[in-house]
Amino acid sequence: MSHTGPLGSAGGGGTSDDTATASTPLLHSDTASTLGPASSSSSSLRSLSPLRGGDKRLRAVAAARSLSFASAVLSSLCAGSVTVFSLYGHIFQERLHYTQFQVNGVACAASIAMYIPVPLLGYLCDRVGPAPLSLLAAVFFGVGYGLAAALYRRAVGDAQGGGALVQQHGSWTFAAMIVAFVFIGVGTCSMYLSAVATCAKNFGKGRHRGLALAVPIAAFGLSGMWLSQLGSRVFCERLPDGTKGDVDVFRFFLFLAVLLFVVGLSGTVGLKIVDERDFIDEAVEELERSGILDGSALFSPSRSERGYGAIEQSANPFDEGDDAGILGPSNDDLDEDEARLKKQWVLNAETRRFLTDHTMWCFALGFFFMIGPGEAFINNLGTVIKTLYPPTLHYEGKPTSAATHVSIVGITSTVVRLLTGTLTDLLAPSPQARHIQITSVAAPSSSPSSPSSSSSTRGRHLSVSRISFLLFFAGVLSLGLASLASGLIQNHGERFWIVSGLVGAGYGAVFSLTPIIITVIWGVENFATNWGIVAMFPALGATTWGVIYSAVYQAAAKRSAGSPGGGGGGDGQDIFCYGAACYAPTFWAMAASIWVACGLVLWAWKGKNGMRSGPVLDGVAAVRAAGSGNSKKRSPAHKAQDDQVMSTNSSSIVSKRSVEKLYYPREPHFFRFFVHKFMRRSPLINRGYHLRLHVVDVLVRRFLQDVGPDSSGKTKVVVNLGCGSDVLPWQCLSRYPEHCGRARFVDVDFPELIERKRQTVAATPELLAGLTGVRARQQQQQQQQQQQRHPSVVFESDRYVQIGCDLRELATLQQALAAVLGDLAGCEFLFVAEVSITYMETAGADEVIRWASTLGDASPYQDGNDTSEAEFVLLEQILPDGDGHPFAATMLQHFDKLNTPPKSVRAYPSVVDQQHRFSSRGWSTAVRVWTLWQAWADDTFLSPADRAALDQVEPFDEWEEFALFASHYCLVHAKVVSGGAAAAAAAEAATIPPPPSSAAVPVQPVALQFDACAGQRGQRRFGAAMLLSSPDISSSSSPVVLNVMGLGTKSRLQSCDVFGQADHGDNSGARAAREFTLGEGGPATRMCHSLTDLGGGHGVLLAGGRAAPSSPFKDCWVFQQSGSGGAWKRTHDLPTPLHRHSVTALGATGMALLAGGRGEADALADCLLYRPQTGWVVCEILGHDRPAAVYGAMLCALAAGETNPSARFSGVYAGGLRDGVVADQIFYWELDVSDPEKPTIRYTIPRPAGALDKGPSRRLLARFGAACLPRASASSPGEFVVLGGVASAHLLAHQDEILVCRVTADEYEICSRLVGGHGMMTTTPPLPRPLLTGTSAVLAPPDGRRAVVVGGGATCFSMGTFWNKGVYIIDLGAPLCSSGVVVDGVPEEDTPPRWAHEKTLDMIPGSGGELRAAAQDAASSTASGGPGPAVTAIARVTLETPDDFARVLRDGRPVVLTGLDLGACVSTWSLDYLADKIGHDRKVVVHEAATQAMDFAGKNFRYATAGFGEFARRVAHGERLYLRALSHDRPAEKPAALADDFPALAPDFALPPQLSAVADSLFSSVLRVSGPVNMWLHYDVMANVYCQIAGSKRLMLFPPGDVEHLSFAPGASSSSIDVFASLQSSSDSSTTTTTLSQTHPHEAVLSPGDVLYLPPLWPHTATTVGGGSGGGETSIAVNVFFRDLDGGVYAPGRDVYGNRDLAAYEKGRQDIARVAASFQRLPPAARQFYLLRLADELRRKAQ
């Protein structure tokens, strides 16, 4: 079901992906900006916490914007030099003897050049920025004016030399002058466009966009004024009598050339777009909500680095093996590439939509007819003034001059531009979306600037559209032209200011308003391109009117040439005109042209399919008129919000389509007919939408199946209020056909949405196939005309009806229902409102609920009717812990940003409120209310088997986020029934347990400190923290906290955050944190792992964790601190891979207990004991009580036994997740390790102490994902603190998040609830409330009284991600359970030390700091006495013929081929030679390694782009670089080929004839250049020969049978094992068993000229050997891959690197997944038994 808004339309459904639209006329603008004023473009979470860390950045951004604005204004002030053409146009006529046509030709050339290139220049400006355009302007201006100055001096000299020279040079000088002014026009366009685009993009999203754009536009108008005054006063000629004459054109042109060149260069530096990526991202968000991005490869989930999601995603589509991923440089480079791709895609999409919008073309044509006359007037102003007086008239003091009126035009234009910019900001409201052409698509709007929201119009009594301003000033422009044409000014030059003033005002306003309207309607991202396309039209208008004016002028001049006082010249060339006949016809026509333009703009605004009618499809207008005949008139603001609410439909159904395809593969799919392109949503969104759809479906099914004693013969009617594109009727008809015989389904929504749905249904045979008795559209219209059908009914069949109606008009809706259903008393109704009526005003939504309870009564709807039988299903948002909860705040900000705030959520924030809402509005019989989190755990909707089955659809581990989402949505099922059914319904409603009450537990205020981290520092979740002490001072005063790995803002992190503290001005702690270092080696990136301080100097144990949810780890590591740093050491692996397990240290013994955890399929039912010497051992469980197998539980050791502290331990184990719900379990455990080989553990179930109620207290304490910190002491044994997590079936309230508890073998007690800071303490500014999910917590020394909480946050469904943006320190005070007395108030403490994020350290995965040794050149063929594997030297052979190599291929073993002729390369290739041949500047992508041992899985290197010369220099100096060459032309599509990629090197290298088989089946030839680095262990699917050219290389190969011992992850062709270090460690130790002990390594050391044949599927690794050029370790090789198998065995599709697994393996993995899934319903033991047997069968077949 979709969603009904204030008018009964499709609402947002509560998610950001619930906002989408189809296509619409782009001049459809009264939808207002969803993103609000300029400030709202910042992070949606920014208001949740102080901006302490971001103040500097905000100031820097503001300064950058101010600098860019100043630079834009300067550029605009100088860019309009071409507008002073009137200052010297008549001089061209007088002194250069140009005709009026030639003068206009020069002016028109500049005008055309100023406008025609604008689309191209705008396109470039949007894509490369304004700075390059400013540089282009500097060049064009300098060349143009310099050339014009030279030509002018030459032409004047020719004129003075006589007519012969004029005739001889005139033609080419005139042509050259045209070229010069073309350059000037292009320069004008470039400089002006770069300035305006800068302001549009930097300020076009705010409330003052009009003024921000008007200032540079006005400055452009002023440029003509001040330049004309400067020219006429400073660069003027001096007449013989000393007075000022005309402008000195030559000097003036030179001045302009220099000035504009300098200004252009300054713009190159000053014009910058600030935060462009932010508004591009916002554009992508709106485009995605529109559904336009559906199916786009650029924005498909496969491109996102999710990390935490249920499906493992790769950052690069080629991350398959050897050099996979080389196309994705570093994380920063990936971000930049992604940003560039995103920007390019968005701009191209917007350009296409702009060009295909019919209202744009109508608007642009109006601009052509409107602005052209103004341009022509300004260009010819000087010659017009000359016609006012006879040329024979001489007078003292000219009554007017061209310079004066150019200035008047400039002044009036400037004033009006600033005025209109300001007035439109004040009176014309801002839009509600960045792209109105997309977001207003769901419904019509009234104007490009109509009010956008109630907030935007609040307190405003007057609203005037920008289009109204535009039409008014167009009238002013036409009035000025008409006054000139009337002859009012003739012989009265002193009146000419009237004309120039009116024209200047009208022209300036039109030219200013048009780009502002473009930003409002079409957004700012593609502004330069859009404005460029529209601005091209004035050039055509100016040219057209210039030609017309010249023709009229010339004709009139010829007619008056012989008359007294007429103009003329002796040679017929210099013709001057006098009188109104010279211009009147032209300007009358110009005035008429402007009125035509006004008509075109009005048509675009209010005509058919224009703004007023909106996206009218066939029949929509009629439906709207019919359906709203009795409607109250809606204000533009309310209509705008209706449009936004309707726009939430399309993307919501995209998510539902994702659920339909993945979760219901065996059912008919109906959403696909409304969603053109499938896009897979994230697992979190999929599961959330599945739950929404499922719970509604269950209640609808029960309604259809229920046949009560009073329902005999009644029609069951399901009315979907705000249906949008929902397919509930078709789903029910296909799922429950046996129960739909007497059912009818009615969809109700906005007329526009219903009409679109009708068209889709009518055009889709699959949708019509399930319907009978369909009334044709023509038949329905005839019946409506005959008053046989209600006009709101747009589609009718026997089982399905569509009604287009406003839900505020319930009487109309009831009439329509009666028209199609007949007697309503004979119907039973079920009303469904899935996230719909919440967008109505609360009073209106409440009235819908009350009205629905009355339906079925025979009398018409009116207040006070009796009730009848009906049901109501409501699903909408709630605020169970108020709007201060981080999830709630993020959700509300998201909907506010979309301008679709849920209205009912504040009036009815809880399930209790919703229950009272219904029971007080006629639904008094039975009202059941669940949160979706309760519904998820309720067998009414899902059984444990149902929940488990969902994990087979897609792996899922976003449980905390799913619980947060589900806790903020409620499901209401209300009934109105009578008799015995009423009692049964009421009893059923009482079965829902209320949220657990914590009122019996006292609240203890505690001190809470928050230390913010700057920017995104410290933002990670699902990591793990450990506390270290500073080496230089007492550990009690300066601890260091490390938050290790976890999930970052984009992906899982291979790093740790280091936090330090400064105690009362002592910065030693911060210094210690800054100086802290990590040794090389350690665990690979992961999340949901554990870190446990083993105490007593035993180090910190890291166990398990996961990559994707289906890829847990079993490796374990111990971190040992040493001095100012520390290092990881590999220790005993877990018996089985686990994540979300619970581990607690057992005192300071070095031992640890592990319980629970999620494996590859199931939760662990055992407990494991870890001992440093022997590793992990299973504990025997004694007694009958034992916990369920869960993961994410709380485990804590509280006290050691008194008799033998090292042998007996006890603690608490509670909660955890089982079958998708939080387990209701609390256990006290006692562990006996007196026999370390056979430890035992006994569980007992304690009872609640004192007045605690058993049920609620257990549900409050039993949690998932909580932190459990021991606080046991002599005075308070068994005390522990619980922080955060997720509780069963309810959201933890703020006061319930932190508990202090006590447990013994007999009882448990919740001693206190701790609340600090937020809501409890008065702070300025208020402390941001933390979200205690995914956090890492430790107890700080000296006495463990303070908990330090770092990291944490959550993805708030699709509404944004919330991060804790700093460190929280909770002062726990003294143990609280000892005395049973709660201290009032916040304890007074000394000022606690401040904490700060000091740095982030990269962790280099590898075999471990103490195990790693430098790889050495060991050439021995066997190991000497250690337990490591024997190393076999690879045989060296000589080939004589191709047959010899054929035998090598058949043998299938690696060999070193010697004595082959590889060409001149062996003797000539060096780093310098390669750089010279390839080119020092040739860009190559190289691996830049942090350590010698590169690890592809751990990504301990980055991809960098460098010139080959620089790369060669760095390699020669011993830097850790590696080049694996790619295809130069198409690196992502085409395999490398030496001849094509490096043609200068190709002649040097040749495959010898003995290797003809390689040449015959050639796949690729790869240049490899390596510094002192090791290539990671990997295998190639294709055979290859490795030709060593220069330097030496040591390679270690393993036969295919060793693959099971080499830690290759499923589906991966790379391993993280450091082979050389492992082999070295095994030879150095006679006791250590290495990971390679069961392998059979083969070794080869290659010298120049050697060729190694590598058979397919032999895992191998390589390292350089010392002695290369430059004294370092350098290797140069050519690696040639070839196909040695039949072509059919290779996997189809792209394989750039030649390492895609064979087709049989890819299919086999799919088969294995299906086989494993078939065993899921078996008990764990049986499943394991049979899967191991199958595995054994596979192993036998492999042998």
Side-chain angles (χ1 to χ4, degrees), residues 1654-1671:
L1654 284 131
L1657 307 179
W1658 277 65
H1660 54 279
T1661 182
T1663 186
T1664 54
V1665 179
S1669 61

Side-chain angles (χ1 to χ4, degrees), residues 297 453 720 888 919 1113 1178 1254 1295 1426 1438-1439 1465 1484 1503 1650 1665:
S453 69
N720 196 346
S919 61
F1113 297 121
V1178 176
K1254 179 179 180 181
Q1295 64 269 22
T1438 302
L1439 301 180
C1465 57
V1484 291
Y1503 297 103
D1650 288 344
V1665 179

Side-chain angles (χ1 to χ4, degrees), residues 43-92:
S43 170
S44 62
L45 303 178
R46 195 170 291 169
S47 64
L48 296 181
S49 62
L51 296 176
R52 302 173 187 173
D55 287 344
K56 291 184 179 180
R57 182 184 180 277
L58 293 177
R59 286 194 293 270
V61 167
R65 282 201 174 99
S66 300
L67 177 62
S68 294
F69 183 74
S71 181
V73 172
L74 175 63
S75 295
S76 298
L77 275 172
C78 299
S81 62
V82 75
T83 62
V84 301
F85 185 86
S86 300
L87 194 62
Y88 48 80
H90 65 283
I91 300 178
F92 282 8

Side-chain angles (χ1 to χ4, degrees), residues 891-1120:
M891 177 178 72
L892 294 176
Q893 276 198 328
H894 165 77
F895 288 119
D896 288 343
K897 181 180 178 182
L898 301 180
N899 195 37
T900 56
K903 305 292 179 58
S904 302
V905 71
R906 298 185 189 277
Y908 307 106
S910 69
V911 293
V912 175
D913 296 321
Q914 288 283 4
Q915 188 168 31
H916 180 264
R917 179 191 195 184
F918 275 79
S919 61
S920 62
R921 286 173 176 80
W923 303 89
S924 56
T925 303
V927 181
R928 307 180 72 193
V929 187
W930 301 262
T931 66
L932 283 186
W933 187 226
Q934 285 177 307
W936 167 258
D938 193 327
D939 287 348
T940 302
F941 303 101
L942 290 159
S943 67
D946 293 332
R947 291 190 291 269
L950 295 180
D951 285 340
Q952 305 307 313
V953 177
E954 53 182 353
F956 186 79
D957 194 35
E958 293 94 329
W959 289 108
E960 292 91 345
E961 297 163 334
F962 179 64
L964 288 172
F965 153 76
S967 297
H968 281 84
Y969 281 77
C970 74
L971 175 70
V972 181
H973 184 208
K975 289 185 178 181
V976 177
V977 292
S978 58
E988 185 181 35
T991 60
I992 302 176
S997 173
S998 57
V1001 182
V1003 172
Q1004 172 66 44
V1006 295
L1008 174 65
Q1009 175 180 305
F1010 173 70
D1011 296 328
C1013 298
Q1016 295 183 346
R1017 291 185 176 184
Q1019 290 185 4
R1020 69 177 70 212
R1021 57 190 198 270
F1022 301 105
M1026 57 180 168
L1027 182 73
L1028 305 175
S1029 60
S1030 171
D1032 56 345
I1033 54 177
S1034 171
S1035 62
S1036 64
S1037 60
S1038 64
V1040 175
V1041 172
L1042 270 63
N1043 197 12
V1044 180
M1045 294 187 286
L1047 180 66
T1049 57
K1050 294 183 179 180
S1051 60
R1052 293 183 297 275
L1053 302 174
Q1054 184 68 46
S1055 62
C1056 63
D1057 290 321
V1058 183
F1059 299 88
Q1061 72 174 32
D1063 192 2
H1064 306 299
D1066 180 3
N1067 292 320
S1068 56
R1071 184 176 69 252
R1074 286 193 295 269
E1075 295 175 354
F1076 188 86
T1077 60
L1078 285 175
E1080 292 186 7
T1085 180
R1086 67 193 64 205
M1087 58 187 292
C1088 300
H1089 51 286
S1090 64
L1091 277 180
T1092 309
D1093 191 342
L1094 299 177
H1098 293 285
V1100 179
L1101 173 68
L1102 182 150
R1106 71 166 176 85
S1110 58
S1111 301
F1113 297 121
K1114 64 187 299 184
D1115 57 326
C1116 298
W1117 303 74
V1118 172
F1119 183 84
Q1120 290 285 3

Side-chain angles (χ1 to χ4, degrees), residues 401-425:
S401 68
T404 299
H405 291 284
V406 168
S407 298
I408 291 175
V409 170
I411 291 173
T412 54
S413 174
T414 299
V415 172
V416 171
R417 284 172 176 174
L418 294 174
L419 182 65
T420 54
T422 304
L423 288 178
T424 54
D425 283 339

Side-chain angles (χ1 to χ4, degrees), residues 376-388:
F377 171 82
I378 295 172
N379 289 341
N380 295 282
L381 187 149
T383 58
V384 171
I385 291 176
K386 292 283 187 179
T387 67
L388 299 181

